[in-house]
């Protein structure tokens, strides 16, 4: 998929970018190195990184970048809760979505977070794949959310808090473009070459033998 970044700056699909945030529980669980290693060893390139104390306003802007997010997330919650016979706090999707946003903003402002921009071929879906599904109870084994954290919608609802799943990763290329612009200034992102790109993206895999 062609991104704004690709159109404006570089056309090669290896330059797709995504936003990853290590959430407060990821930092508190001392999983920074482990999480970064998962993305790094895949062959992705880190082009921006900072430790941030997010404000409520930043978190709300982040999640409402898609104006439909509140309704969609509320509806997703209600569908899941109905299927699994869980308690539904608000039957109206917008009200429920607003409540989820309120919980999220408490969670995301509870401590420092690390914001990162990763770059590489198909980086958006690849990062989602290794990050895993939203609910740790159901996310796949081998993913970050499946391997390093215990939580469920059922338990987080009993405690009336956001589900704790260690990381945020952009859901689409369009979402990534908007989120990166929200968290990073242009000069905080660095264009450079990694030596391994020669092997990852070179067409002929030549120049190895002396
Ligand atoms: P993600 O892209 O997999 O992180 O999921 P979403 O964008 O749908 O939701 C963003 C965040 O909101 C998730 O990571 C959760 O922390 C929280 N969240 C989303 N849906 C629910 C829900 O149904 N219940 C609870 N407790 N939290 C939710
Ligand atoms: Mg999302």
């Amino acid at each position: 998929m062609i991104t704004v970044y690709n159109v404006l700056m570089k056309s090669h699909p290896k330059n797709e970018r995504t936003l990853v945030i290590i959430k407060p529980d990821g930092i508190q669980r001392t999983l920074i190195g482990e999480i970064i290693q998962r993305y790094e060893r895949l062959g992705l390139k880190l082009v921006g990184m900072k430790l941030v104390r997010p404000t409520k306003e930043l978190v709300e802007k982040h999640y409402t970048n898609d104006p439909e997010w509140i309704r969609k997330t509320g509806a997703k919650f209600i569908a899941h809760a109905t299927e699994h016979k869980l308690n539904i706090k608000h039957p109206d999707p917008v009200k429920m979505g607003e409540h989820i946003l309120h919980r999220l903003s408490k969670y995301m402002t509870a401590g420092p977070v690390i914001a990162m921009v990763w770059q590489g071929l198909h980086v958006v879906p690849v990062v989602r794949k290794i990050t895993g599904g939203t609910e740790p109870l159901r996310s796949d084994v081998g993913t970050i959310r499946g391997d390093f954290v215990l939580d469920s919608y059922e338990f987080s609802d009993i405690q009336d808090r956001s589900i704790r799943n260690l990381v945020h990763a952009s859901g689409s290329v369009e979402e990534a473009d908007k989120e990166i612009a929200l968290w990073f200034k242009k000069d905080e992102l660095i264009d450079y070459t990694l030596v391994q790109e020669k092997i990852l993206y070179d067409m002929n895999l030549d120049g190895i033998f002396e």
Side-chain angles (χ1 to χ4, degrees):
M1 201 175 291
I2 307 297
T3 68
V4 172
Y5 172 80
N6 283 336
V7 170
L8 294 178
M9 313 248 320
K10 294 180 179 181
S11 58
H12 196 292
K14 74 180 169 64
N15 295 321
E16 188 171 299
R17 288 178 167 183
T18 197
L19 181 81
V20 173
I21 300 170
I22 305 181
K23 297 179 178 180
D25 54 329
I27 312 273
Q28 296 302 316
R29 296 274 316 282
T30 61
L31 287 170
I32 298 168
E34 188 74 52
I35 290 168
I36 290 179
Q37 190 185 29
R38 296 258 169 153
Y39 301 119
E40 192 181 29
R41 71 183 185 187
L42 209 66
L44 301 175
K45 178 164 67 179
L46 187 62
V47 296
M49 176 159 82
K50 59 186 174 183
L51 188 68
V52 184
R53 182 179 182 160
T55 60
K56 186 171 172 280
E57 291 68 38
L58 177 64
V59 174
E60 286 181 0
K61 261 196 199 155
H62 169 88
Y63 283 107
T64 55
N65 245 334
D66 168 7
E68 278 293 286
W69 186 91
I70 290 186
R71 196 193 49 75
K72 279 195 299 202
T73 307
K76 191 184 81 176
F77 176 92
I78 292 167
H80 176 92
T82 307
E83 189 188 334
H84 296 275
K85 300 190 170 50
L86 305 179
N87 180 40
I88 299 173
K89 216 175 165 74
H90 301 286
D92 172 46
V94 173
K95 281 237 159 57
M96 191 61 230
E98 282 167 353
H99 189 66
I100 291 174
L101 183 63
H102 170 71
R103 287 171 172 178
L104 262 174
S105 107
K106 267 167 78 178
Y107 169 36
M108 293 293 285
T109 58
V113 305
I114 288 184
M116 300 180 279
V117 177
W118 288 91
Q119 182 173 317
L121 188 69
H122 306 306
V123 70
V124 172
V126 161
V127 161
R128 289 289 283 195
K129 182 182 71 172
I130 63 172
T131 298
T134 308
E135 187 191 22
L137 174 64
R138 292 182 172 78
S139 44
D140 290 334
V141 172
T143 64
I144 294 167
R145 287 164 169 178
D147 287 357
F148 295 120
V149 62
L150 298 164
D151 204 5
S152 66
Y153 286 140
E154 191 172 358
F155 190 58
S156 63
D157 281 348
I158 290 170
Q159 297 192 327
D160 195 20
R161 60 161 174 80
S162 192
I163 198 147
R164 291 180 190 146
N165 56 15
L166 303 174
V167 219
H168 163 80
S170 307
S172 67
V173 171
E174 291 73 20
E175 197 175 288
D177 281 346
K178 288 186 196 161
E179 292 177 356
I180 291 168
L182 187 65
W183 287 80
F184 285 88
K185 298 191 197 101
K186 273 206 176 74
D187 64 3
E188 290 175 324
L189 302 174
I190 300 177
D191 288 311
Y192 66 99
T193 303
L194 273 182
V195 172
Q196 68 170 358
E197 285 175 59
K198 180 83 179 130
I199 297 300
L200 284 168
Y201 305 121
D202 184 78
M203 207 162 70
N204 302 314
L205 210 61
D206 52 8
I208 294 176
F209 289 117
E210 289 183 356

